[in-house]
């Protein structure tokens, strides 16, 4: 069975062996497996906790495990390493990056801050530790509105790096935000017509839209003008989508975000129908984390994610300010 660690499992027997080994090693290493909602179904199924960016940060902050295996992307593992400096944080594949986090560097943010002296910086959690260290507040899609509302109205705010989330927050709060022009290549691909076409095909379904989507500002306009049903359209984080699906009376949902969330929705809200607005909305970075890599990560203690202590101390301030608001 040793060859399994070099290749993704092909058979049900190989998968079962990997799951058993992961469970055994998890006990042995006093490890916890944290998985984002966009992870592969088999990775979600073996995890101790599956959630959105905020839930994962909170789970990392409260765990008493010695080792955290982060089934997600690099910035998420860094956030866990910042919150748990005395624990070992492992990312099973260092190539699990994020196109959105890559749209801004700490140097670019410092230059932008020099153009707006005294401005408050709100950084979406999809940023590197160095960028978070330059920020006053972190936020996730769950709490971005709350974080901005917690900042006094007379403060100038720089919002990085997601333009679509920033535009959404600006509209909901009525605040004038300076927005960085970053985007996630998966979410930016959602066009207003994708949502409208699906909505016409399934008029009774509820629409669940992630605020990183390229269609979000147009959808807010459609909502205001009545072109989309106000009572059946919700702009939510991935965890918000799971909560909404549980609470709603609707039987069918159209989901505008990365398709990994569909596994969790179908598993936790059985009996209801969940359809992707775009089937090709797949994050190749999230999908780099496979069962065999999780196994190897636990077995060999790879790949440890560390954040330089001075950077971590500054970034922790921004993350803790966010957690206090959440
Ligand atoms: P949430 O799961 O926090 O809504 O974030 C989505 C995302 O794109 C994470 O990379
Ligand atoms: Fe980054 Fe987009 Fe992938 Fe989320 S879906 S990890 S924002 S590239």
């Amino acid at each position: 069975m040793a060859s399994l660690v070099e290749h993704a499992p092909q058979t049900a027997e190989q998968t079962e062996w990997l799951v058993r080994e992961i469970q055994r090693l998890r006990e042995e290493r006093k490890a916890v497996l944290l998985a984002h909602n966009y992870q592969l179904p088999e990775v979600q199924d073996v995890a101790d906790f599956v959630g959105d960016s905020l839930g994962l940060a909170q789970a990392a902050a409260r765990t008493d495990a010695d080792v955290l295996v982060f089934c997600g992307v690099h910035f998420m593992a860094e956030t866990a390493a910042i919150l748990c400096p005395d624990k070992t944080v492992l990312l099973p594949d260092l190539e699990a990056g994020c196109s959105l986090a890559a749209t801004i560097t700490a140097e670019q943010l410092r230059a932008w801050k020099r153009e707006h002296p005294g401005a408050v910086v709100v950084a979406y959690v999809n940023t590197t530790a160095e960028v978070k260290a330059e920020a006053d507040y972190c936020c996730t899609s769950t709490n971005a509105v709350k974080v901005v509302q917690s900042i006094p109205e007379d403060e100038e705010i720089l919002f990085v790096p997601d333009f679509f989330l920033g535009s959404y927050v600006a509209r909901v709060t009525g605040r004038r935000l300076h927005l960085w022009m970053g985007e996630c290549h998966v979410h930016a691909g959602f066009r207003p017509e994708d949502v409208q076409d699906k909505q016409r095909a399934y008029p009774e379904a509820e629409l669940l839209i992630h605020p990183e989507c390229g269609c979000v500002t147009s959808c807010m306009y459609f909502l205001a003008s009545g072109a989309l049903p106000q009572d059946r359209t919700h702009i939510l984080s991935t965890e918000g989508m799971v909560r909404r699906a549980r609470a709603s009376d609707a039987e069918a949902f159209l989901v505008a975000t990365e398709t990994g969330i569909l596994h969790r929705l179908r598993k936790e809200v059985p009996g209801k129908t969940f359809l992707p607005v775009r089937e090709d909305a797949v994050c190749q970075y999230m999908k780099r984390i496979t069962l065999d890599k999780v196994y190897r990560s636990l077995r060999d203690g790879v790949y440890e994610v560390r954040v330089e202590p001075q950077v971590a101390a500054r970034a922790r301030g921004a993350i803790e300010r966010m957690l206090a608001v959440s």
Side-chain angles (χ1 to χ4, degrees):
M1 284 289 183
S3 63
L4 271 179
V5 298
E6 307 306 333
H7 305 283
Q10 300 296 318
T11 66
E13 189 204 3
Q14 288 174 321
T15 302
E16 278 168 28
W17 183 86
L18 279 172
V19 170
R20 272 200 310 278
E21 282 301 295
I22 289 169
Q23 282 162 347
R24 183 181 67 76
L25 288 167
R26 173 167 49 194
E27 298 296 311
E28 211 172 281
R29 308 269 195 267
K30 294 193 178 54
V32 68
L33 266 62
L34 305 177
H36 187 265
N37 289 323
Y38 298 159
Q39 288 288 290
L40 290 167
E42 59 273 25
V43 174
Q44 294 191 30
D45 290 346
V46 81
D48 297 287
F49 178 86
V50 185
D52 67 355
S53 311
L54 177 65
L56 291 168
Q58 288 168 328
R62 67 172 178 257
T63 183
D64 55 6
D66 295 340
V67 178
L68 278 77
V69 180
F70 220 100
C71 304
V73 293
H74 193 268
F75 75 81
M76 296 179 174
E78 267 191 342
T79 305
I82 292 164
L83 289 170
C84 315
D86 53 338
K87 298 191 188 301
T88 302
V89 177
L90 303 176
L91 182 65
D93 184 335
L94 286 177
E95 297 296 311
C98 170
S99 61
L100 175 57
T103 62
I104 187 164
T105 64
E107 187 41 49
Q108 286 173 312
L109 179 51
R110 281 192 287 272
W112 207 31
K113 282 165 71 174
R114 282 196 292 275
E115 288 171 28
H116 298 272
V120 175
V121 177
V122 179
Y124 191 32
V125 70
N126 299 40
T127 42
T128 63
E130 288 75 15
V131 167
K132 288 185 180 76
E134 293 295 329
D136 299 290
Y137 291 86
C138 237
C139 74
T140 70
S141 52
T142 299
N143 58 27
V145 166
K146 260 192 185 170
V147 167
V148 166
Q149 280 170 338
S150 76
I151 299 168
E153 296 220 352
D154 55 348
E155 297 279 6
E156 190 178 12
I157 299 177
L158 307 183
F159 189 95
V160 297
D162 193 73
F163 176 78
F164 297 112
L165 175 66
S167 310
Y168 164 74
V169 173
R171 276 182 182 237
V172 173
T173 60
R175 302 284 288 270
R176 194 176 155 264
L177 308 178
H178 298 283
L179 303 177
W180 190 256
M181 294 296 286
E183 63 179 33
C184 149
H185 70 294
V186 180
H187 288 92
F190 284 89
R191 299 161 307 170
E193 52 271 33
D194 296 329
V195 171
Q196 283 185 307
D197 290 351
K198 271 272 164 20
Q199 208 273 328
R200 277 190 208 109
Y202 300 92
E204 299 305 318
E206 270 197 22
L207 259 171
L208 307 176
I209 303 170
H210 194 279
E212 273 181 36
C213 288
C215 60
V216 77
T217 354
S218 306
C219 286
M220 289 179 88
Y221 172 77
F222 295 153
L223 271 171
S225 67
L228 280 177
Q230 291 199 353
D231 57 332
R232 275 178 287 124
T233 306
H234 304 274
I235 300 171
L236 296 163
S237 73
T238 55
E239 198 61 39
M241 291 180 181
V242 178
R243 275 197 294 269
R244 176 65 206 163
R246 279 201 201 104
S248 166
D249 292 337
E251 286 176 3
F253 298 82
L254 306 173
V255 183
T257 192
E258 211 271 356
T259 56
I261 186 69
L262 295 167
H263 175 68
R264 185 154 171 230
L265 286 164
R266 289 169 181 155
K267 186 172 163 181
E268 293 190 19
V269 195
K272 296 190 180 183
T273 303
F274 298 95
L275 300 168
V277 168
R278 286 190 70 107
E279 281 181 34
D280 62 350
V282 177
C283 174
Q284 69 269 41
Y285 300 113
M286 285 281 179
K287 275 33 177 190
R288 289 196 72 90
I289 311 297
T290 53
L291 267 191
D292 57 316
K293 289 181 192 167
V294 175
Y295 163 68
R296 184 172 46 190
S297 179
L298 275 163
R299 189 193 66 182
D300 301 344
V302 291
Y303 296 93
E304 189 166 353
V305 174
R306 287 169 189 259
V307 179
E308 203 263 306
Q310 280 186 339
V311 172
R314 292 173 63 209
R316 195 176 305 123
I319 298 169
E320 284 176 351
R321 261 168 246 132
M322 164 187 85
L323 293 176
V325 171
S326 302

